[in-house]
Amino acid sequence: MEGSDALRWLDALLTADLEDLAPGRARRALLLSPTGGVRAAVTVARPGDSLLLLQDPVQPRPVLELLAPYVLSSDVRLQDRTGELALLAFPGREEPPAVSGGWASAPSVLGRGVDLILPAEERGRVLGELRGASEEASEEDVEAWRVASGIARFGVDGEEGDLPAECGLEDAVSFGKGCFLGQEAVAKVRNLGHPRRVLRHLEATGPVRAGEPVLADGREAGAVTSAAVRGGRWFALVRVRWEARDAPLRTASGAELAP
């Protein structure tokens, strides 16, 4: 994304406070509907003078497609660079590895840590340089780490139309900034009520699977959205009705769920 209006324009639409986003920094943000429902979750990165919107491909719709109708007369140019760039994530690290090429961006799209953004054709070379010093994680390893860490994934643990508080994404909302799309609806729920359901990060006493019903007092209260085993322990992200958020929970197969 480029243009003299790009940062200001994006700040007026997304939930994160982006006005002070410095080069090399990134911030998680949401694009909401006017009624406060999540339409996309992104990490806004600023590797240099341009802006990058980093989006999980599992999400229902590309964020550029959703943003395009709002450009109007603004000096903003949107471009899909999916095929041009590659991203290597290093969760838990403060600095990227010392390799040539690319731009560092922090925090990581995975949360605490740093990313290395580089031209797609450089990915193989950089991975070759990193072998021996770093271990490449499989998709299954990353997913297990995510679930064990309690990191919500939009398109998996939440769906389009959910409020941020219903899908574990409220930390991507800056309630102290000026206007953004859907702000009034989100603030109303936060200040005057509560969401219909919440996402909880829990540990299970036995195997669990995504989609499995969750019971409170013998009655169905929600479902497991993500589950994984890590270090011999089972973890789950569970979405339940607001009224059941503090009740003893178990899966339909009998595994107990607790913080």
Side-chain angles (χ1 to χ4, degrees), residues 117-137:
I117 301 168
L118 60 155
E121 62 269 19
E122 293 292 301
R123 182 178 183 274
R125 177 188 62 80
V126 171
L127 285 176
E129 291 183 17
L130 291 174
R131 288 192 179 97
S134 299
E135 182 179 352
E136 185 175 0

Side-chain angles (χ1 to χ4, degrees), residues 195-247:
R196 298 164 294 176
R197 49 188 177 258
V198 293
L199 189 71
R200 299 201 59 197
H201 178 226
L202 303 171
E203 187 170 349
T205 57
V208 291
R209 58 178 176 80
E212 189 173 2
V214 171
L215 310 179
D217 298 322
R219 299 177 58 188
E220 187 167 336
V224 176
T225 57
S226 294
V229 62
R230 182 173 170 84
R233 299 160 62 189
W234 280 93
F235 297 92
L237 290 166
V238 174
R239 192 158 62 165
V240 295
R241 297 193 312 271
W242 172 263
E243 295 79 9
R245 67 194 186 283
D246 295 323

Side-chain angles (χ1 to χ4, degrees), residues 10-45:
L10 198 61
D11 182 68
L13 290 170
L14 301 188
T15 59
D17 190 350
L18 301 175
E19 285 189 327
D20 63 345
L21 187 65
R25 302 299 298 174
R27 203 156 287 163
R28 196 179 190 192
L30 308 174
L31 176 66
L32 305 181
S33 69
T35 56
V38 180
R39 302 184 73 194
V42 299
T43 295
V44 183

